[in-house]
Amino acid sequence: MSKSAISSLLSSIRLTPHLPPQSWYLIAGVALSTLNKPDEIPHVFHYAMEKDAGSTETPINIARRMREALVKASAIGGLPKRARESAREVFDSTAKILYSQSINALFALKKVTPPALLDEPLTYSPTERSVELYDMPASRILQRGQSFFDQIYGKVSTRVMGQMDRSGTEDLGITARLMYGYILSNTTVLSPAESSFVLIAGLIPQDVSKFLHPTKF
């Protein structure tokens, strides 16, 4: 996509009415990530910095919110599906490693993010997920995730979770509970509404419309 085309697309998304404030770049970044267009992620970041940094948001806030959106998108975009392009290439040290969309996007974002705007390991984490993982009771996090799931799916939440529990292995339901508990229901960086829009932005490019109707906040 040419620079003028991506700028036009981002301008259109930014001016879309009824979106949560300053959520446009989250939506754009996640949609492009889901389409596995990591080369476009730096354009989203630079455009957000140009248009919003200093006027409505701080640069560190934009960087953290973009990263968090891409992390949450990994919950619906999937983990890496394979490590290399073919089994024969396992022995080729130069083989290209294939990553999931979110990993590609996060590394592309890191390349253009000033060091001062990065949250490196063993430093301050705005999400405090490491604290939740190691220092908080799992029951507390899982209950938060269940509440978030209920808000997303509304009156059909019990049926949807029940279907996953009865999928032939209860582990599917457990996976969903872990995903909602530790990843999606953490709203320290993105609000519940913003998180919901991130889910929608990641689902639409995958053409899974049956999951869109109940997603709400």
Side-chain angles (χ1 to χ4, degrees):
M1 189 180 296
S2 68
K3 185 175 181 179
S4 61
I6 188 67
S7 295
S8 177
L9 172 64
L10 296 177
S11 177
S12 176
I13 297 174
R14 183 172 182 267
L15 298 177
T16 300
H18 309 307
L19 294 178
Q22 284 73 58
S23 66
W24 67 269
Y25 58 87
L26 310 176
I27 294 167
V30 167
L32 290 167
S33 170
T34 303
L35 293 169
N36 204 18
K37 300 288 186 181
D39 292 343
E40 306 297 352
I41 299 301
H43 295 300
V44 179
F45 178 68
H46 289 313
Y47 197 82
M49 286 293 188
E50 175 188 343
K51 298 297 182 180
D52 290 359
S55 58
T56 56
E57 288 195 273
T58 62
I60 186 66
N61 200 39
I62 290 175
R64 284 173 171 166
R65 283 160 53 79
M66 275 199 70
R67 288 195 293 267
E68 177 67 357
L70 294 172
V71 167
K72 288 194 169 186
S74 70
I76 54 174
L79 295 175
K81 298 172 179 63
R82 51 181 177 165
R84 297 179 183 271
E85 291 185 270
S86 68
R88 184 170 62 86
E89 290 177 330
V90 168
F91 301 102
D92 180 0
S93 62
T94 63
K96 180 182 178 181
I97 296 176
L98 301 181
Y99 295 112
S100 75
Q101 295 97 321
S102 289
I103 296 175
N104 284 335
L106 281 163
F107 275 111
L109 177 59
K110 182 179 180 180
K111 286 181 180 180
V112 297
T113 303
L117 303 184
L118 296 173
D119 295 313
E120 296 291 1
L122 303 180
T123 63
Y124 169 73
S125 170
T127 65
E128 295 189 335
R129 281 198 178 92
S130 60
V131 175
E132 293 182 349
L133 181 61
Y134 297 112
D135 298 332
M136 289 188 181
S139 58
R140 175 179 170 184
I141 306 301
L142 293 175
Q143 181 55 53
R144 184 188 69 187
Q146 184 63 56
S147 297
F148 189 79
F149 185 87
D150 291 342
Q151 287 180 286
I152 289 283
Y153 285 93
K155 62 182 180 181
V156 300
S157 64
T158 300
R159 176 167 60 85
V160 172
M161 186 62 78
Q163 288 174 335
M164 287 189 281
D165 287 336
R166 295 187 297 274
S167 65
T169 169
E170 65 177 358
D171 289 349
L172 180 60
I174 291 172
T175 299
R177 289 177 176 90
L178 290 170
M179 178 179 71
Y180 273 86
Y182 285 95
I183 304 299
L184 297 176
S185 69
N186 183 309
T187 56
T188 55
V189 174
L190 300 182
S191 71
E194 289 168 339
S195 299
S196 181
F197 272 93
V198 163
L199 292 176
I200 293 171
L203 289 171
I204 289 176
Q206 299 183 70
D207 193 24
V208 284
S209 57
K210 68 179 181 179
F211 292 102
L212 294 176
H213 177 67
T215 304
K216 62 182 180 179
F217 265 97

